Amino acid sequence: ACHHYAAPRYVAHEVRMACEFLAHFLSLQMAAKEAAENHEYVEHLSRGHKELVEIMSQADDFMSGLLGNEEKFLGWIKSGGAAFVVNDEIHLTGKTPNAEAVRSILDLVNENTNDEIYTTNKLPLADLSEHAAGVLALRLSIHLPHFILWFRPEISQIVNWAGDPNKPVETGEFGDRLTPRKSFDLWIEEVAGKSEAWKTCEIEAAADLRRSIMEIVARKAESLADLNAELERSNVELDSFAYIASHDLKEPLRGIHNFSHILIETYAAQLPADGREKLQTLMRLTQRMESLIESLLHYSRIGRAQLATAKVDLNILVQETLEMIESRISDSNAEIIVAENLPTIEGDEVLLREVFTNLISNAVKYNDKEIRRVEVGFSDAATPTFFVRDNGIGIAEKHHETIFRIFKRLHGRKKFGGGVGAGLTITKKIVERHGGKLWLESVPNEGTTFYFTLGELEKI
């Protein structure tokens, strides 16, 4: 401070210039020393960034890649733990506060800034210092609550001062002017509730990671769009092929069937018994082949045709379905229970009727109980889940996917009334065309429940 109670001391210009030069030189040396100390850490951040980009590129998504390599991720930027926030889901790794505390930290971040990065080494939240005295929050999306947060624990410090630095100014005998301290007794300050400060290189590294994540997400989205477009084109071509092949195969089959019938009628007396039997077998085979082709043709039409959507009252539709299969229900001694107040939805009435027809018919058909019970209902929700439940023979879990393959039967052709094995495949296709999904739960010898949704439907 160069203060003195005696006469003012004049400091020569050369001395003042020397002091200024020394100050500049000291400042440069401090910056150089700090840069040298950070150089190794910056190199570590750069190498780690390349490794994390490679990991994220190979994983299904960036978050699973980083969570699956916890040691590398947490060892990248010095931190005790981290949290990934995707919408309302929070995934924690390392030493972190609980999910509820993380939500409080996010509220604080959103209150303070909309920037991509927020840092503090002293969170103004009680009881979090053990794991999260400081936080670096990386915002991954402007419109969605997607974040990565790094946490640092509290570092308690003891700082020795030459006197109390917060001591109030005292007015001396010469008034309010700079005067020497009267005491330089040791004054100890304990600093608590703070973490190690976040370095500029760490903030820049986090920003680089954000850019890399955005690039990886964009590339994967573009690749997925290309795959979907290719899949859609392949499906269209496959449906077209199935339609053409099915249509063209039916004509020669009819010819084989008709000529076989003519041979039996015209030359029955001249043919031996085994000859007539072989012709009859040939006719049966052509009829079966025509049924298979007809099912394939129907399946391809469902995939290609536009949906004739309209408001459909499922109470009326299910009742009409039961009327159509009334004789089958009566012959099977089946009891059908239909829930009241089924919703009115948007959909293709003809195709939806086929869904209920197939599921109810199968529930009656694949049943060996004395009294066959079938229940049709739904869960009352914004997007309802419909179900058809029976007390039939059930389906083993290993066959839960198999039964949806076209022409795949679990029983002999003549057992349980026969069939070509296309009904559930067609039902699944119709449900998917309506933006929904079809699945089942079953216990062998006790019964099966088929569930299905029909996308985002409007309840009337």
Side-chain angles (χ1 to χ4, degrees):
C2 301
H3 47 255
H4 200 274
Y5 288 116
R9 177 179 176 83
Y10 174 77
V11 180
H13 175 74
E14 294 83 356
V15 177
R16 296 201 305 274
M17 290 300 99
C19 290
E20 184 177 359
F21 173 77
L22 183 62
H24 283 302
F25 184 75
L26 180 61
S27 176
L28 292 173
Q29 284 294 98
M30 290 175 64
K33 184 173 178 60
E34 186 180 45
E37 290 176 350
N38 285 337
H39 177 72
E40 186 176 347
Y41 187 38
V42 170
E43 288 294 311
H44 162 79
L45 291 173
S46 179
R47 289 192 303 271
H49 178 264
K50 292 177 182 177
E51 291 178 357
L52 293 179
V53 168
E54 184 176 353
I55 289 169
M56 291 187 294
S57 299
Q58 295 174 354
D60 292 336
D61 59 81
F62 78 90
M63 187 175 70
S64 61
L66 297 178
L67 283 172
N69 291 268
E70 176 181 337
E71 186 176 346
K72 284 187 177 180
F73 177 64
L74 291 180
W76 179 54
I77 288 181
K78 294 176 183 176
S79 61
F84 292 81
V85 182
V86 179
N87 295 324
D88 289 332
E89 295 184 10
I90 296 177
H91 304 270
L92 304 175
T93 179
K95 297 179 180 179
T96 67
N98 59 37
E100 200 58 41
V102 172
R103 295 186 197 280
S104 299
I105 294 173
L106 281 178
D107 291 340
L108 178 69
V109 172
N110 289 321
E111 288 172 7
N112 280 275
T113 183
N114 291 321
D115 294 341
E116 295 174 0
I117 296 179
Y118 169 82
T119 64
T120 180
N121 68 330
K122 186 174 175 60
L123 275 172
L125 297 173
D127 303 326
L128 296 184
S129 296
E130 181 182 359
H131 298 308
V135 64
L136 190 161
L138 184 66
R139 190 187 301 270
L140 299 178
S141 173
I142 297 174
H143 306 292
L144 298 172
H146 295 173
F147 287 86
I148 300 178
L149 298 96
W150 288 267
F151 304 108
R152 278 182 175 168
E154 172 190 51
I155 296 180
S156 297
Q157 291 179 298
I158 302 296
V159 182
N160 296 328
W161 295 88
D164 184 357
N166 301 312
K167 185 178 178 180
V169 175
E170 295 181 358
T171 301
E173 58 181 304
F174 299 105
D176 295 332
R177 57 186 295 181
L178 191 61
T179 58
R181 293 182 63 95
K182 294 179 180 178
S183 171
F184 290 93
D185 293 337
L186 180 65
W187 187 82
I188 299 175
E189 178 185 16
E190 183 176 353
V191 180
K194 285 187 177 182
S195 72
E196 180 183 347
W198 300 96
K199 296 180 179 180
T200 302
C201 61
E202 292 172 328
I203 297 172
E204 291 174 351
D208 289 340
L209 181 68
R210 182 183 188 277
R211 284 189 288 271
S212 296
I213 290 174
M214 296 299 102
E215 290 171 3
I216 290 169
V217 170
R219 282 202 306 270
K220 287 186 180 291
E222 185 177 352
S223 176
L224 184 60
D226 291 341
L227 287 174
N228 285 338
E230 179 64 22
L231 181 61
E232 186 176 354
R233 184 187 65 78
S234 298
N235 284 339
V236 170
E237 291 179 355
L238 184 61
D239 287 341
S240 298
F241 170 78
Y243 180 82
I244 294 169
S246 302
H247 186 272
D248 291 348
L249 284 172
K250 288 174 70 176
E251 191 61 34
L253 276 175
R254 287 197 192 98
I256 294 171
H257 181 274
N258 292 337
F259 274 109
S260 299
H261 184 69
I262 292 170
L263 285 172
I264 290 176
E265 286 194 340
T266 306
Y267 301 101
Q270 302 174 31
L271 290 171
D274 65 329
R276 290 193 300 271
E277 185 177 340
K278 285 181 173 60
L279 284 173
Q280 289 169 349
T281 300
L282 181 61
M283 289 176 63
R284 286 196 300 272
L285 289 174
T286 56
Q287 287 173 334
R288 173 162 174 75
M289 179 62 76
E290 188 169 359
S291 297
L292 292 171
I293 291 173
E294 189 63 40
S295 297
L296 181 61
L297 187 61
H298 182 45
Y299 180 73
S300 67
R301 285 197 191 106
I302 291 173
R304 296 167 64 246
Q306 291 281 21
L307 296 181
T309 56
K311 287 182 174 61
V312 180
D313 187 337
L314 292 183
N315 297 287
I316 297 174
L317 184 142
V318 172
Q319 188 60 42
E320 291 175 349
T321 299
L322 295 177
E323 291 173 0
M324 289 171 54
I325 58 175
E326 173 62 31
S327 60
R328 193 179 311 171
I329 295 172
S330 299
D331 293 343
S332 302
N333 191 30
E335 177 186 354
I336 312 296
I337 304 168
V338 180
E340 297 181 354
N341 301 320
L342 291 171
T344 296
I345 52 94
E346 290 281 345
D348 187 307
E349 182 176 354
V350 174
L351 295 181
L352 290 178
R353 183 178 289 110
E354 187 166 359
V355 169
F356 282 99
T357 300
N358 284 337
L359 292 179
I360 295 173
S361 296
N362 282 351
V364 172
K365 180 179 178 181
Y366 296 102
N367 199 317
D368 55 3
K369 304 296 190 299
E370 184 176 348
I371 298 178
R372 308 182 185 192
R373 292 189 178 86
V374 180
E375 182 182 356
V376 180
F378 72 107
S379 65
D380 191 9
T383 302
T385 297
F386 302 95
F387 65 86
V388 176
R389 180 177 294 126
D390 64 61
N391 64 335
I393 61 173
I395 302 169
E397 187 175 356
K398 64 180 180 180
H399 297 308
H400 284 192
E401 295 296 328
T402 306
I403 59 172
F404 293 114
R405 299 177 192 166
I406 193 165
F407 305 142
K408 186 67 178 179
R409 294 176 48 83
L410 302 182
H411 311 282
R413 286 201 302 269
K414 294 182 180 180
K415 196 172 183 181
F416 295 106
V420 298
L424 283 176
T425 309
I426 291 171
T427 300
K428 187 171 186 288
K429 185 74 168 180
I430 294 172
V431 169
E432 290 174 348
R433 286 294 310 275
H434 281 77
K437 62 179 181 178
L438 173 68
W439 70 98
L440 73 147
E441 294 177 357
S442 184
V443 178
N445 301 318
E446 292 186 17
T448 302
T449 303
F450 280 91
Y451 297 93
F452 65 95
T453 59
L454 296 170
E456 296 296 328
L457 303 177
E458 177 186 355
K459 290 185 68 179
I460 310 299

